[in-house]
Amino acid sequence: MHSSTRWIWCGLVSWFAMEMAIASTWKRDVWEPQSGVWQTDADSGRGKSLAAEWGEMVSTAWYGDLDFSGSIVVPAAERQGQQAAILVRYAGFSECYKVVLDWSNWRVRLVENHNGKSAELAVVRVDRMAVGATMRFHVRVREQRLTLKIGERSIVAQAGLRIPGGRVGLAVRSGEMQFSNLAVTGSPS
């Protein structure tokens, strides 16, 4: 092999190795912990809150209109007060929408945190699920309207959203959560 050909091949191999390293780190940089302890793999992970505080993990991208879906594992009911939340249009702890999954009372609450005030917009009871079952969710936000589906059932439909955009994510309080297959698409805000 000619020496200049060898250098071209070495350059191509080095470039390819560098591109593969960049591509593999890109997937890990989609989610960013805000509080608590979070571990993410290629398509699953777990989060843990510290004491009774919310542990939060959010996307690095900001969205206006969006579709956010994934699966959450139903925890053991041994811990009273354990809650999980799906975060939408998250601009910070005091500026976001939280779809709170209250495991001990088997209900879903939509909470708006806006301008330092918290308001409960909707409360819906949900069917009990077996411990360890996977609960599939899908949140869609279009302009000022939010819809939530758990499995195939529409749970919440809320109009009049006031927060124009933000990140999406998950949160857990007073315990741990497991999740998988998180996907988000939408228009950047």
Side-chain angles (χ1 to χ4, degrees), residues 7-88:
W7 283 110
I8 290 172
W9 278 108
C10 289
L12 284 173
V13 168
S14 297
W15 173 81
F16 181 74
M18 184 177 74
E19 287 297 313
M20 291 304 292
I22 290 170
S24 66
T25 58
W26 177 80
K27 279 290 192 193
R28 286 194 304 258
D29 293 341
V30 172
W31 303 105
E32 176 178 84
Q34 296 296 297
S35 57
V37 178
W38 294 87
Q39 297 173 326
T40 57
D41 294 326
D43 68 343
S44 64
R46 60 185 337 118
K48 181 179 181 180
S49 65
L50 303 175
E53 300 297 319
W54 283 99
E56 299 173 327
M57 175 188 75
V58 295
S59 63
T60 54
W62 289 58
Y63 300 93
D65 291 348
L66 61 96
D67 283 282
F68 180 36
S69 61
S71 296
I72 297 173
V73 175
V74 176
E78 62 196 33
R79 290 192 70 129
Q80 288 296 324
Q82 183 173 347
Q83 297 177 338
I86 302 162
L87 305 173
V88 180

Side-chain angles (χ1 to χ4, degrees), residues 82-139:
Q82 183 173 347
Q83 297 177 338
I86 302 162
L87 305 173
V88 180
R89 290 189 173 174
Y90 180 95
F93 182 77
S94 63
E95 193 72 17
C96 68
Y97 292 96
K98 274 187 181 171
V99 178
V100 179
L101 308 164
D102 184 347
W103 301 115
S104 58
N105 294 310
W106 290 97
R107 62 183 181 165
V108 172
R109 297 182 302 124
L110 176 60
V111 178
E112 178 185 66
N113 296 315
H114 184 55
N115 289 335
K117 295 179 182 173
S118 184
E120 198 170 77
L121 302 179
V123 179
V124 179
R125 292 195 93 34
V126 293
D127 299 332
R128 284 189 175 274
M129 297 178 74
V131 171
T134 301
M135 183 197 77
R136 186 93 181 123
F137 71 88
H138 181 194
V139 177

Side-chain angles (χ1 to χ4, degrees), residues 97 110 112 121 144-147 156-162:
Y97 292 96
L110 176 60
E112 178 185 66
L121 302 179
Q144 283 80 39
R145 184 166 181 77
L146 177 145
T147 56
V156 175
Q158 181 70 38
L161 300 183
R162 298 185 296 170

